[in-house]
Each structure stands twice: as structure tokens, then as C-alpha cells.
Amino acid sequence: MLLPWSKVRDWFCFACGECCRWFFVSLRPDEAIRISSAYGRDKIEIVHGRPILRRIGDSCVFLYGNLCLLGDEKPIACKLWPIVFTREGGADSYFNGYYIYFDERCPGVKRGRPSDRLYMTIMEAIHLKEGQKIKQNYTTARVGPNLLLPAVASSTLGLTEEMSSLQNLEFPSYSSSRSKIYTRNMKR
Ligand code: SF4
């Protein structure tokens, strides 16, 4: 299911929107505060003490058709998937100080010898992860401009004590899918 980057020829996001339906998206405290403040406290939920993006029906609240309304403001978990950083891994997953895999559940992952574009994609993912970059050129679909809609911020309630306390939370390293919180933004 997790393929070392060295066995991936390329990856393209086709904007199928499936990952926005499959997973509960865990947020970093600063992301929870930012999204809550900008779009409303009702856009996030606290589950087992951790903030996640609210879901409506079978998908993320920010999924519009197959597109993300947050654009460049989406959480780092969303920006990185299906690229997975692990604490340990095989030599075939090592890249510039990281162990990097691709989750083959994403239909855009293609096996083979790494292409030049794949290297660009991985470098961008590292820069996103390290906070050196916000905009995505390779690690998302090129489907148009930021589709941020004011309507999303329909019920901005401002920060609450609960949200302020999120800044002090520490997050464990674990992963799961579908029925649990999927921690795409955390080291495994
Ligand atoms: S924030 Fe955007 S990319 Fe992330 S799950 Fe929601 S719709 Fe998908």
C-alpha cells in the first residue's frame, strides 16, 4: 500500500476528490485556529481532544464537487497526501534526510523509474512540510485559481477558549483511515 518513492515513476492529482471523501483530516493546532477563525468554528470538530475538519455526508466540508474550496489554504495533511513521510524506512525510501513513500490508494500514483517531475514533486513536498513553501505547483491538481468562496465563512464565531487551548496540544504519531482520524500531517 505504501510504495517507496524510488519505485514511483510519477504522480499526478486528477482532482478525483476521493481522498477528501475517504479520510478524516486531522489539523495542526495553528491550522485549526486559522480555519476556525476564517470560516467558522463549525468547520472543525474536536474528536478525542484533537481538531479535525468537519464532514458533511461522506466528504470534507470544504469539498465542492471534486475541488477544495481552501485552495492554497488547505491543511498540510491535504497538501502532502498521498506522499507519506515516515520516521524509519528502507534505503529505497530515503531522500534528503527523509523516508518518503507514496500511498497507492491514490489512483494518480504510477509505478516505475522516477521521472524528473517526480523529483520536483518530492522536493516541493519537503518544502511544504518544512514550511518553506505554501503554494503548490506539483503536489496538487492544476484545476484553476484558489476557489475560496466567502460563502464558506457563513458562521464565523471567532476563537473560543477551546480553540486557544489547542495551541498547547501535542499530537501523537499514528495513522489510520476511514473509521478513525487520518493523520496525514504527522510523522509516522
Ligand atoms: S480541506 Fe480540501 S483537500 Fe483537504 S479534505 Fe477538505 S476538501 Fe479535501
Side-chain angles (χ1 to χ4, degrees):
M1 194 172 287
L2 288 183
L3 194 64
W5 72 268
S6 62
K7 297 187 177 351
V8 176
R9 172 167 56 83
D10 214 340
W11 165 64
F12 289 94
C13 174
F14 299 115
C16 65
E18 287 302 307
C19 56
C20 308
R21 300 184 181 92
W22 289 340
F23 303 118
F24 289 78
V25 177
S26 180
L27 302 170
R28 297 187 314 211
D30 60 302
E31 292 174 331
I33 291 169
R34 174 169 56 81
I35 290 172
S36 176
S37 181
Y39 305 109
R41 172 63 180 82
D42 61 324
K43 301 303 181 293
I44 71 165
E45 294 179 55
I46 306 296
V47 177
H48 302 309
R50 301 184 182 90
I52 66 170
L53 286 179
R54 183 175 295 281
R55 294 170 64 82
I56 294 181
D58 67 348
S59 65
C60 171
V61 66
F62 289 110
L63 188 66
Y64 182 75
N66 282 344
L67 302 178
C68 175
L69 292 170
L70 291 179
D72 291 329
E73 295 185 40
K74 71 181 69 161
I76 190 67
C78 303
K79 288 185 174 182
L80 293 182
W81 200 85
I83 301 171
V84 178
F85 292 78
T86 61
R87 287 207 174 95
E88 297 177 350
D92 55 1
S93 69
Y94 189 79
F95 188 102
N96 276 19
Y98 291 101
Y99 295 100
I100 298 176
Y101 294 82
F102 282 74
D103 193 324
E104 279 197 290
R105 283 175 290 186
C106 174
V109 176
K110 303 302 176 198
R111 290 184 175 224
R113 187 176 174 184
S115 64
D116 290 344
R117 188 182 183 285
L118 186 84
Y119 284 101
M120 300 298 288
T121 302
I122 293 173
M123 285 307 300
E124 179 171 275
I126 291 173
H127 290 153
L128 290 166
K129 179 178 175 60
E130 293 178 345
Q132 299 176 29
K133 198 172 193 295
I134 293 175
K135 289 190 73 67
Q136 297 175 271
N137 296 314
Y138 298 95
T139 54
T140 191
R142 298 190 183 190
V143 292
N146 189 329
L147 295 167
L148 195 61
L149 299 179
V152 175
S154 57
S155 58
T156 301
L157 301 177
L159 299 180
T160 64
E161 285 183 17
E162 180 186 27
M163 292 305 300
S164 298
S165 69
L166 291 174
Q167 297 177 85
N168 302 319
L169 284 178
E170 289 198 3
F171 292 83
S173 299
Y174 70 96
S175 66
S176 55
S177 64
R178 279 201 182 267
S179 60
K180 299 177 184 175
I181 301 171
Y182 184 64
T183 56
R184 285 185 282 183
N185 57 336
M186 299 171 195
K187 284 184 177 179
R188 298 182 185 198

